[in-house]
Amino acid sequence: MTEFSLSPIGYLASPFRDRFGIPRQPRLAQHARGCLRLLPPYDRVEAVRGLEAFSHVWLTFVFHGCVGEWRPTVRPPRLGGNERVGVFASRSPFRPNSLGLSLVELLSIETCAGVVLTFGGVDLLDGTPVLDIKPYIPFVESEPTARAGFVDGPPPQLLVDFTAQAMTQLRRHAGRWPDLPALLCEVLAQDPRPAYANDALRQYGFRLYDLEVKWRCTGERAIVEKIVMATAEQAS
């Protein structure tokens, strides 16, 4: 058998509407919540029976934004964006079969109308096709003596500040998205800029929920300048 046919069990709804701004690893932004409504015929209560006993799960998913764009070598941000490694020595989305694996916290399972699972610490684009869910088992899947190659620990974090205008806008939109202040700080603290970016005058933007966030970076500090509703063109 040389080909396989895979069907999504559901599509993840997440705050991240652009690839830019998504944390580079799961659970770096704990307030990034995602919801997965299982599709028929997988939306049966018995399919998740016993899953509530596990605190974390593995999601197998498709990098649907770059299907068919595999590369033999990639430039990981951890190496400054200049040094290349083999794609199989990285977690790049540009893979031969566009498959990803993400460890997330299982926050809740609702079964009153179908099956809806809520996860914390997601690092997936809104609309990501999810192929499978498996429980995380610490005693076999956590190896304290494992070597991590060029990923030698969590990345340094930026301090996050807001202009007076951005702070007013943040408070206004937090009425609809209560986790927005914490989530925005977690995302920007990871410094989502390309590794080679160092222009303190350049303004960056990404979408979070239905909002457009404008910010810049000076030294070790990310400064949010504006938080506004995304336009119809940006949302398409």
Side-chain angles (χ1 to χ4, degrees), residues 20 193-194 197-199 202-206 212-217:
F20 180 65
R193 296 177 301 163
N198 58 7
D199 184 357
R202 179 175 176 179
Q203 187 182 68
Y204 298 89
F206 62 86
E212 177 76 8
V213 178
K214 296 290 187 180
W215 63 287
R216 59 187 175 87
C217 187

Side-chain angles (χ1 to χ4, degrees), residues 138-205:
F139 90 93
V140 291
E141 296 178 321
S142 176
E143 179 47 71
T145 63
R147 291 179 289 119
F150 56 84
V151 186
D152 56 358
Q157 295 198 339
L158 299 175
L159 298 174
V160 181
D161 284 335
F162 296 81
T163 64
Q165 174 185 246
M167 182 58 73
T168 298
Q169 295 166 335
L170 178 68
R171 290 174 180 143
R172 181 187 312 140
H173 293 300
R176 296 185 302 119
W177 306 109
D179 287 337
L180 179 63
L183 175 58
L184 185 52
C185 288
E186 289 169 347
V187 169
L188 290 179
Q190 307 301 324
D191 193 356
R193 296 177 301 163
Y196 52 80
N198 58 7
D199 184 357
L201 298 179
R202 179 175 176 179
Q203 187 182 68
Y204 298 89

Side-chain angles (χ1 to χ4, degrees), residues 16 27 39 63 73 101-102 151 160 213:
F16 303 114
R27 301 191 301 138
L39 297 172
F63 287 108
T73 63
L101 188 65
S102 189
V151 186
V160 181
V213 178

Side-chain angles (χ1 to χ4, degrees), residues 82-146:
N82 296 314
E83 185 177 343
R84 287 187 175 273
V85 301
V87 65
F88 298 128
S90 80
R91 295 193 175 188
S92 167
F94 300 104
R95 318 193 70 78
N97 289 298
S98 302
L99 294 179
L101 188 65
S102 189
L103 178 62
V104 297
E105 184 179 4
L106 177 60
L107 299 177
S108 67
I109 304 174
E110 299 177 18
T111 57
C112 56
V115 178
V116 179
L117 302 101
T118 301
F119 308 113
V122 302
D123 60 338
L124 305 180
L125 186 67
D126 184 56
T128 291
V130 176
L131 302 178
D132 200 6
I133 303 167
K134 289 187 177 72
Y136 170 75
I137 303 175
F139 90 93
V140 291
E141 296 178 321
S142 176
E143 179 47 71
T145 63

